[in-house]
Amino acid sequence: MRILKYLVILSTIFASSISSAGTLVVNSNQSGESSEAAFNAYVAAFEAAHPDIDVQVNLTEHEAYKTAIRNFLVAEAPDVAIWFAGNRMKFFVDQDLFMDVSDVWADADLNNIMSSSKASLTVDGKQYGVPWGYYQWGVYYRKDIFDNLGLNVPQDWDEFKWVCAMLKKNGITPITIGTKYLWTAGGWFDYLNLRVNGYEHHMDLTAGKISYEDSSLDAVFDAWRELIDPGYFLEDHATYSWQEAQAPQINGEAAMYLIGNFYVPALESAGVVDKMDFFQFPPIVEGIGTFEDAPTDTMHIPSGAKNVEDAKKFLAFMSDPAAATNWAKMAGMLSPNSLADAPTDRFQKMGFAMLNAADGLAQFYDRDANPDMAKAGMEGFQEFMVKPDREGKIRARIEKERERIHGPL
Amino acid sequence: MFPTPIQKVSLKINITYKVLLIFTLILWLLPLLAVMMTSIRTTEDILKANYWTIPTEFAVIENYGTVFKLGNLAQYFFNSLVITLPTVLGTIILSSMTGYTLAVHRFKLNFLIFAMFIAGNFIPFQILMIPVRHLTINLGMYDTYWGLIIFHIAFQTGFCTFFLRNFIRELPFELIESARVDGATEWTIYRKIIIPLTFPAIAALAVLEFTFIWNDYFWCLILTQSEATKPITLGLQTLQGQFMSSWNIVSAGSVIAALPPVIMFFTMQKHFIQGLTFGAVKG
Amino acid sequence: MTFWQRNQLKFAPFYFLAPGLILFLIYVIYPIIDSIWVSFHEWNGMPKDTLKDDGTPKNWKWVGFGNYIVLFQDEDFYVAFFNNVRWLILSLLVIPLGLALALFLNQNFKGMRFIKSFFYFPFVINLVVVGLIFAWFYNPKYGLLGQAFSGLGLKPIPILSDEIYATYGIIFASFWPSIAYTMIIYITGLTGINREMIEAGRIDGASGFKMLWHIVLPQLKPATLIAVVITIVGALRSFDLIAIMTAGGPWGSTKVLAYKMYEEALFNFRMGYGAAVATILFLLMDIYIAYFLYNLYKNERGAK
């Protein structure tokens, strides 16, 4: 037994004297075929560039990970953890569970090559993670249906409503949506508010600084009603998950879907991607800038990490244009690395251009707001979409939650 | 035998029964057939919401192949076995002991302790999540097989004690009395008389517990993390992607994962017949 | 006789009980008490000893009955509570249905063992998949139910997106695995029926329903007891199906207390609040448990 102990000690000394060799434990939520393959490609590229480091990936299913992370950051922290930017990251930063990696930003020149996402990775002037991918949101539509009916891409709100009316008249569901898991309704709210009230207002709202009964939101709900009342949304959308809501559009029974770019692989699998096209959510109020939802996925180093040195190398490796490009591309996302290859995919090209030209990027309602606030808000939005007459009651209820969470104004 | 054994009725009723049986079986298994149909559908079918139609293409090899190619399927299966079998064994041993003493021995706190086992079993188990996790971590058993095994044994003991205690109470007390007169210790009585007699109940319990632990998802999520300890319920979840869930593959995985408990049931079933001996003793 | 032989009967309860009881106390009883303690605090699940700049704990704050007061003013709570009542009452149907199925299958010819295994299957399938299949069944556009309605010329009812019908839709789905479960219990019970009593009954001319009621059912009492306990506990606990079929929706109308607790603790990270919900649920169950135990106690007192 003793001999074994000495052998272990010897080999550890021996090993560490050769190099900063070691195992790097990474917890990943990239479940699903393409996501898993994409991340594995990054890991392989990293291991090729650092042959002395052995990366061990612990994969957890995406939803389960959200629970698991709270457990493992506190006990048995890995060296690297994948997560999200915005309020999601800030929560753990406030708990001192994520390490300050501003040095990685400085050393790997990320301050320059990832400048557009820097804000969403910063708390109090310091960076706490490195982004690896983001994606655009917008309206994915059946170009062939539009062409058949002689419709053009709407350039403003009135045109958008007119297009919906035309589609409905011809027996096509104008907008498909599945609100079972609520966040698709959150997406609509985001865009309506960003287009009506602008970025700062939206950021203040999600941070809990504006009342949900504030008159500034009246126009948002009114605009929404302009689509709900004539029945432009898919019937019974509360039954469907966002995935189940794809079917009408794939089958040609619905025309438009406000969704993120992760939709495209499904379109490819279904064989309809050539019939689809994309346009930016139209402006509603003149003069408000173009702000987009661009949820950003990130990597962080937990405070309890053991192999900090290699973890920082792992994060810094995002500066490698080839690795960064591959990971994002295979996962169907855009790379926040401005040196990455421009996307070749048709949709991603449009997204890339759109996000680069945007005046500001939001992280999406349930990542910008507190989890319980987001839950209350989105439940209210779903109910509003089905029972718009309950607007007053719903907004009062959401406001009650906001007051409980963020305090009275 | 109740109802009248099939061998004793007229041919007409015999055949009617068998036809009815098949019909009921098909109706009963309709959802299962749906699961199996889903497991051989192509992704395209799922995307087009062809949930109930004949599959446009058959993707048996692709779907089941993908499940098997799931890097760690063998590992997950192994983990599930390592976690489930000791748990079932441990639970049965412990709860047959507690069940025996609560059923047979008279002592002051008997009913109170029995009540505690019942009450503890009724709770919504989510209430245990944080304390049990902390406990497991502090005992150094986080992310180990033992962490899950010990917890499951502890928690299942509540229900199993209740189940076995009631069953043992129904046994003829004279057997125990006469054994005591013959000088047998309680332990001997337990081993040589009680266990054999409660075997049908133990068999049923073993099947139920096996299924329950095998299909547990929540506690694996709380108490394990790495690939080395993950059981199959968690493993299958990784087939559900962040954005696109391949329900056809998940279904295929579920069918495969469901086989062990069913095989377990099938093999244990003949022990239920042993209950006939029990019936004779009672008379 | 040795000391051991003289006293082994006295000591027996101790060593028989010890292992099971100790584990149970550690892993079940203590956590319940701990959770009740947590319900008197506000806690987001992060370490309790983390301090803010001013030295007070950041994540852990005593609020006394604060959580309970908020809970009783929470609309959600009442929705969940009454859903639990619906689950409880309707789930009891599972017991006679399971018995009926067990009786139907209580034959022993070649291959019957194989057939019985198939009836057991629903219990064994991952609940996520069960929920999914039933959700697809209810799908108003593409599901079997929706198409049946259309076939009859009626407008399909979107069961799972209707705030009134959704809960019933889920309860119905839960019947499938639950009946399989009670069926197993009754099949076990039926193997223990006293043959001679049945024969005697037949000689006396009893058959069918009379036989069932007077001779068979009384002997199935232990099985029925188990079935009732399991069904009640299951009904009060279930949330897997709710999670997959409606995620508690539409807008929270299918939530039950167990789901609300799970949501508050795991998604909203309000551990204290979630613990309060769980404690209320536990108290509710206690009423039932107390009633149940009282009856049991009386019966056993009487019998022995």
Side-chain angles (χ1 to χ4, degrees), chain B residues 3, chain C residues 94-106 179 183 186 190:
Chain C
V94 161
I95 296 170
L97 288 173
L99 175 63
L101 201 55
L103 287 171
F104 183 63
L105 296 180
N106 196 27
I179 293 180
M183 178 200 85
Y186 275 122
L190 282 172

Side-chain angles (χ1 to χ4, degrees), chain B residues 232-269:
Chain B
I232 199 164
T233 40
L234 274 193
L236 284 182
Q237 289 292 87
T238 59
L239 288 170
Q240 271 175 267
Q242 171 188 355
F243 292 124
M244 197 158 89
S245 291
S246 316
W247 292 118
N248 46 350
I249 306 194
V250 173
S251 297
S254 297
V255 170
I256 295 175
L259 291 176
V262 171
I263 293 173
M264 178 81 174
F265 175 70
F266 189 63
T267 44
M268 283 304 203
Q269 244 210 60

Side-chain angles (χ1 to χ4, degrees), chain A residues 247-268:
Chain A
Q249 190 174 44
I250 290 174
N251 288 332
E253 294 156 4
M256 298 186 278
Y257 203 168
L258 175 64
I259 199 74
N261 202 51
F262 46 80
Y263 186 26
V264 176
L267 293 169
E268 285 166 353

Side-chain angles (χ1 to χ4, degrees), chain B residues 17-43:
Chain B
Y17 174 74
K18 294 207 170 127
V19 167
L20 208 61
L21 188 66
I22 304 289
F23 183 70
T24 312
L25 185 65
I26 292 179
L27 201 66
W28 184 252
L29 289 184
L30 200 62
L32 178 67
L33 290 173
V35 174
M36 295 181 96
M37 270 242 284
T38 308
S39 73
I40 59 175
R41 275 186 201 286
T42 56
T43 310

Side-chain angles (χ1 to χ4, degrees), chain C residues 145-288:
Chain C
L145 193 68
Q147 285 175 9
F149 268 90
S150 310
L152 291 173
L154 303 165
K155 188 167 184 320
I157 304 176
I159 294 190
L160 293 181
S161 66
D162 185 298
E163 55 190 354
I164 311 244
Y165 294 133
T167 295
Y168 297 108
I170 304 178
I171 295 176
F172 181 72
S174 77
F175 277 12
W176 196 52
S178 296
I179 293 180
Y181 199 89
T182 48
M183 178 200 85
I184 289 290
I185 294 177
Y186 275 122
I187 284 186
T188 319
L190 282 172
T191 61
I193 301 271
N194 191 326
R195 278 176 118 182
E196 286 168 15
M197 282 185 79
I198 304 258
E199 292 308 319
R202 279 196 218 285
I203 292 171
D204 281 347
S207 71
F209 191 72
K210 271 222 196 96
M211 173 86 90
L212 176 70
W213 190 259
H214 292 285
I215 298 183
V216 177
L217 272 183
Q219 291 193 49
L220 285 177
K221 247 209 200 139
T224 306
L225 190 66
I226 304 276
V228 169
V229 168
I230 295 299
T231 306
I232 302 274
V233 170
L236 288 173
R237 253 195 215 158
S238 72
F239 78 90
D240 281 17
L241 284 178
I242 297 171
I244 188 67
M245 290 173 84
T246 57
W251 49 91
S253 58
T254 54
K255 279 188 217 182
V256 291
L257 289 175
Y259 188 85
K260 185 168 172 62
M261 189 260 167
Y262 181 75
E263 198 180 64
E264 293 295 346
L266 266 66
F267 289 118
N268 296 348
F269 304 111
R270 291 165 73 188
M271 301 289 178
Y273 194 63
V277 178
T279 307
I280 297 285
L281 187 54
F282 181 52
L283 288 175
L284 288 173
M285 287 189 176
D286 280 347
I287 299 174
Y288 168 69

Side-chain angles (χ1 to χ4, degrees), chain A residues 13-25:
Chain A
I13 299 173
F14 191 69
S16 50
S17 68
I18 289 181
S19 59
S20 58
T23 317
L24 191 66
V25 178

Side-chain angles (χ1 to χ4, degrees), chain A residues 11-23 50-54 307 309-310 313:
Chain A
S11 53
T12 323
I13 299 173
F14 191 69
S16 50
S17 68
I18 289 181
S19 59
S20 58
T23 317
H50 296 89
D52 50 323
I53 305 178
D54 177 41
N307 191 348
E309 202 183 319
D310 290 342
K313 289 187 192 159

Side-chain angles (χ1 to χ4, degrees), chain A residues 70 94-95 97 375 382, chain C residues 46 58-59 251 263 269:
Chain A
R70 291 180 158 244
D94 288 343
Q95 293 285 331
L97 287 172
K375 194 91 211 272
Q382 186 199 34
Chain C
M46 302 311 271
K58 182 193 291 206
N59 300 314
W251 49 91
E263 198 180 64
F269 304 111

